[in-house]
Amino acid sequence: MIDFENLSRLPLSDPDGAEAANAELRPVFDPVLRTFSVQLWKDGEPSGIHGLTDTFQYADEPLEAIDAFLADNGVRALTEDETVLLYAGLVRSKGGSDWLMLQMGAQQA
């Protein structure tokens, strides 16, 4: 089940749990430009923005190239579960009917 309270930050820890997370992803929706992006933070500092030069109009679009963006920034690829959480965070960042539908679908599952 998705933790709807903690979708604004996705810590990227070692998949084996051996190391503490030093990177996190923050999903963002810009209501003026009506675009999605993903901020990369390392050690508590901004480190990059996926979507700065791209125009992601739908929440699933940033996910298509997120692993390449992370690799360019020295961060491991996302797991399937993390990809789902990032998508949910992007939908939540926009809000509206898509967010309500995602919540209702998760409650029924």
Side-chain angles (χ1 to χ4, degrees):
M1 178 129 190
I2 296 174
D3 178 4
F4 288 113
E5 298 300 316
N6 297 311
L7 292 175
S8 61
R9 295 178 181 202
L10 177 63
L12 300 180
S13 60
D14 181 3
D16 299 325
E19 297 179 26
N22 71 340
E24 72 178 25
L25 299 178
R26 297 183 185 181
V28 176
F29 177 74
D30 184 323
V32 174
L33 298 175
R34 302 197 48 79
T35 58
F36 292 93
S37 62
V38 179
Q39 296 177 352
L40 172 63
W41 288 63
K42 287 183 178 178
D43 299 318
E45 300 288 329
S47 183
I49 299 176
H50 179 50
L52 190 60
T53 58
D54 300 305
T55 305
F56 298 131
Q57 295 180 328
Y58 301 97
D60 61 334
E61 290 177 333
L63 304 177
E64 295 173 10
I66 190 70
D67 288 340
F69 167 76
L70 293 173
D72 289 344
N73 286 278
V75 177
R76 67 166 175 81
L78 296 181
T79 65
E80 285 184 39
D81 288 345
E82 289 169 336
T83 302
V84 169
L85 289 172
L86 181 57
Y87 174 77
L90 287 162
V91 173
R92 180 178 184 236
S93 70
K94 181 179 179 188
S97 60
D98 290 342
W99 173 237
L100 292 173
M101 290 179 65
L102 183 65
Q103 285 181 300
M104 288 188 320
Q107 289 173 354
Q108 293 175 355

